[in-house]
Amino acid sequence: MTDFIDIAIALLIVLGGAFALIGSWGLARLPSLMTRLHGPTKATTLGVGGCLIASMLYFPTHGLSWSAHELLITLFLFITAPISANMIAKAYIHGRHSHPDAPGQWEGDLPDGPGGNADWATFGVQDERE
C-alpha cells in the first residue's frame, strides 16, 4: 500500500511541477496582462495545489504526524487566486476604458461595459453623486 501511495505522491509532484513550470512560462511569455493572468491563476495554482496534496499524503504515510497546514494553504490558494485574478482583470478593463490611449496597452478588443445598473463592475455604473 505504501508503494502505491509513493507512486501517487511522485505523480502529484511531477504534475505539480509541470503545471507550475507551464504557468510560469505563460507569465513570462504571453503578450498582455489579460493573457498573462491565465498562467499564474490557473496552471500555477494547480501546480502548487498538486505539490501540497502530495505533501499531505507523504507525512502520514511515512509515520509522521498529519498537519492541516497544507490543507489550509491549498484552500486559501484555491479561494484567493480566482478572486485576485478577477480584481486584476477588472482593474485592467477599468484602466483601458479610462485611458484608452495609454502606452503599453494591448491592441485587442475590450469587452463591452455591463451598462445599466450593474453594480458588480468597476465601470459603467452611474455614479449617484453626479
Side-chain angles (χ1 to χ4, degrees), residues 23-46:
S24 300
W25 191 358
L27 179 66
R29 298 291 300 172
L30 291 174
S32 71
L33 183 125
M34 294 299 273
T35 56
R36 273 186 239 138
L37 274 176
H38 294 288
T41 58
K42 293 175 180 67
T44 305
T45 301
L46 284 175

Side-chain angles (χ1 to χ4, degrees), residues 1-90:
M1 186 68 178
T2 303
D3 291 339
F4 177 72
I5 293 175
D6 284 343
I7 291 170
I9 291 170
L11 286 175
L12 282 170
I13 290 173
V14 169
L15 282 175
F19 274 113
L21 177 66
I22 291 168
S24 300
W25 191 358
L27 179 66
R29 298 291 300 172
L30 291 174
S32 71
L33 183 125
M34 294 299 273
T35 56
R36 273 186 239 138
L37 274 176
H38 294 288
T41 58
K42 293 175 180 67
T44 305
T45 301
L46 284 175
V48 172
C51 292
L52 288 169
I53 291 171
S55 177
M56 282 190 294
L57 292 174
Y58 176 80
F59 287 107
T61 303
H62 292 279
L64 301 172
S65 64
W66 183 81
S67 174
H69 295 150
E70 292 94 348
L71 178 64
L72 293 174
I73 293 169
T74 304
L75 290 175
F76 179 77
L77 187 67
F78 285 169
I79 291 170
T80 59
I83 293 170
S84 63
N86 188 17
M87 297 306 291
I88 291 170
K90 280 185 175 182

